Each structure stands twice: as structure tokens, then as C-alpha cells.
Amino acid sequence: MIVVFVGTAGSGKTTLTGEFGKFLEKNEKRVAYINLDTGVKTLPYTPTVDVREHITVEELMKKGYGPNGAIVESYDFLMDYLNEYVEKILELEKENDYVLIDTPGQMETFLFHDFGVKLMENLPSPLVVYLFDPTILRKPHDYCFVRFFALLIDLRLGATTVPALNKVDLIRDLEKIKRYLEDVEYLSARLKLDSSMQGLLAYKLCKFLPEVSPPVRVLYLSAKTRIGFDELETVAYEHYCTCGDLT
């Protein structure tokens, strides 16, 4: 099973990759780790495949690149090794129960650069877990945004994408958040009360959501307490089961 973690900087991708891997290993699963972040300094897991063996952002910055330029240049450079990475990941999938892929800290690098897109195109049925931080959920239209952003990731990468709220151990009223994320009718009713342009747009989008949303459910995770790890493992299993339904 190939599980790919994507999300904005600070959403907890790397920490979750390490902790979920330890959780799986404790349950006697064979796990391989793939690090695709050229800018990360330290990792909480030992990568089986590490792009930093070929290039790092730090090396490029020493040559005069700025941070953003170094990130883009590093993945331009890695395009020459794309087939090598695909072959290694496919081999690791045969040898392990899980292959966990930790993507760049800057999510747009993976989503908008050919390296990430072409890598995903060559992997067999990867499951993408889109991590978002609870701090982004301030207003009703924010909930609409994260649901549709998961769909856009699915569209861009051509892979089933499951939205996952990370760091739930920091949330006081999780049930309230769950209702907004899971009950489209309730969210639409709340958005209908918002007279702003954002509210109107979100309302129209959310009314359309049931027609375009694939059969997936939202995950609620915490790398710190391992809340939701059982559910994440179940979703991964269902994804690879011919009769699986991610609702």
C-alpha cells in the first residue's frame, strides 16, 4: 500500500509520517519511508529513499539561490532521477506492507511541479492523505474550502484523496468541527446566512459538493496522541480492497 501525505508547511506531514510508521511497525507491518523534501534538515524516521542524497535546498542556497528559487531548482534537478525513484518505490511496495511518502514542506512544489505529478502518475493506486491544520477553520466558508481543495488535489494528482484534520488534540470542540465538515446540509444552511461574496460563493459550491465528491470520509488525526491511526489504517486497507467504500 502506498500512502502519500500532502499538506501545507506546518500541517504535520513529517511528524505524522514517522508516528504512523511506528504505529504500523508496532502492529507487525513492514514499512518503507520515502522522503521527497529537499529542504528538510532532520527527520523523525529513517528514510529508505531520500531525495537529499541527490540535492538539497541548503546546497543550492550556498550557490546564491534564494529559498524559493532553491526549492524549484532542486525539483528541476530531480526530474533526471524520476524513473529511478519510481522503480525504487515500486520495488519497495512489493517488499513491504506500507510505503509511506513524505512530500515537500511547500505543498505547491509537489502539486504544481512536474516531478510530483509525474511521480504520482506512475504509482499504482496511491492513497493521498491531505492534511490541514485546525487553525485554518475560522469561518464556515473555510470548511467548504478544505473539502474542495481535497477534490482539487484528487484532480491534479489523479489519485484518491482523503481530507484529514491533523492536530485534533489541540481542539476543544471537535464535534462542532465534525458537523461542519461532514454535514453538507448543515454547512450550507450556515453559509446561506453569510451575505458576503465569500459566503455566497461557498454556499453555491457546497450545494454542488455532493454531486462531485467521491465516496470518502474525513479523518481526524493526531501524531502526538495517535488519535485516528486505526481509522487511517482502515481507510488505507479499504482503498486497496476491491469492495472498499471510503465513506
Side-chain angles (χ1 to χ4, degrees):
M1 301 183 189
I2 300 175
V3 181
V4 184
F5 295 100
V6 302
T8 55
S11 61
K13 296 184 298 295
T14 298
T15 303
L16 187 64
T17 300
E19 287 302 313
F20 185 56
K22 293 175 185 176
F23 167 82
L24 293 171
E25 290 171 341
K26 187 176 180 180
N27 291 332
E28 301 183 348
K29 299 294 192 303
R30 293 168 299 173
V31 182
Y33 300 89
I34 312 295
N35 171 50
L36 298 182
D37 192 346
T38 56
V40 68
K41 293 290 185 69
T42 59
L43 294 169
Y45 56 85
T46 302
T48 318
V49 174
D50 192 344
V51 292
R52 296 177 301 173
E53 294 177 355
H54 285 124
I55 191 73
T56 68
V57 168
E58 186 175 9
E59 291 172 6
L60 290 170
M61 289 182 67
K62 288 179 180 179
K63 295 180 179 180
Y65 287 88
N68 293 329
I71 291 171
V72 174
E73 179 63 23
S74 68
Y75 291 97
D76 287 343
F77 179 86
L78 289 175
M79 285 298 296
D80 290 338
Y81 299 92
L82 179 65
N83 291 334
E84 178 183 325
Y85 288 125
V86 170
E87 290 175 4
K88 287 182 178 180
I89 293 171
L90 294 178
E91 184 178 340
L92 287 169
E93 188 198 23
K94 295 177 182 178
E95 300 171 351
N96 296 272
D97 298 304
Y98 283 84
V99 176
L100 305 182
I101 300 181
D102 185 14
T103 60
Q106 300 295 334
M107 181 171 62
E108 60 270 26
T109 305
F110 191 72
L111 293 180
F112 296 106
H113 195 285
D114 275 353
F115 178 82
V117 175
K118 289 186 176 180
L119 178 74
M120 294 294 290
E121 287 176 351
N122 286 280
L123 299 182
S125 302
L127 176 67
V128 177
V129 180
Y130 160 51
L131 300 179
F132 56 97
D133 193 291
T135 57
I136 195 177
L137 303 175
R138 297 179 297 108
K139 298 180 180 180
H141 61 254
D142 295 325
Y143 293 85
C144 182
F145 170 81
V146 296
R147 292 303 304 267
F148 268 94
F149 199 76
L151 288 176
L152 292 175
I153 294 173
D154 191 321
L155 178 64
R156 176 63 175 165
L157 299 180
T160 298
T161 302
V162 178
L165 176 60
N166 196 23
K167 305 180 183 180
V168 296
D169 55 289
L170 302 177
I171 299 174
R172 292 182 180 180
D173 192 352
L174 182 57
E175 291 305 313
K176 177 182 177 181
I177 289 178
K178 283 185 176 182
R179 189 173 186 186
Y180 273 102
L181 287 172
E182 297 173 7
D183 190 339
V184 177
E185 290 187 3
Y186 176 77
L187 177 57
S188 296
R190 299 293 296 177
L191 288 168
K192 197 173 183 179
L193 301 175
D194 187 346
S195 59
S196 69
M197 287 301 296
Q198 283 179 309
L200 178 61
L201 176 59
Y203 172 72
K204 290 183 176 181
L205 287 173
C206 277
K207 295 292 287 184
F208 184 55
L209 184 61
E211 295 183 35
V212 295
S213 181
V216 299
R217 60 183 178 272
V218 181
L219 296 175
Y220 303 91
L221 308 172
S222 168
K224 183 177 181 180
T225 64
R226 296 188 177 179
I227 290 173
F229 278 19
D230 286 320
E231 184 74 0
L232 175 54
E233 185 179 14
T234 298
V235 167
Y237 175 79
E238 291 173 354
H239 174 64
Y240 284 89
C241 174
T242 56
C243 60
D245 183 348
L246 299 189
T247 57

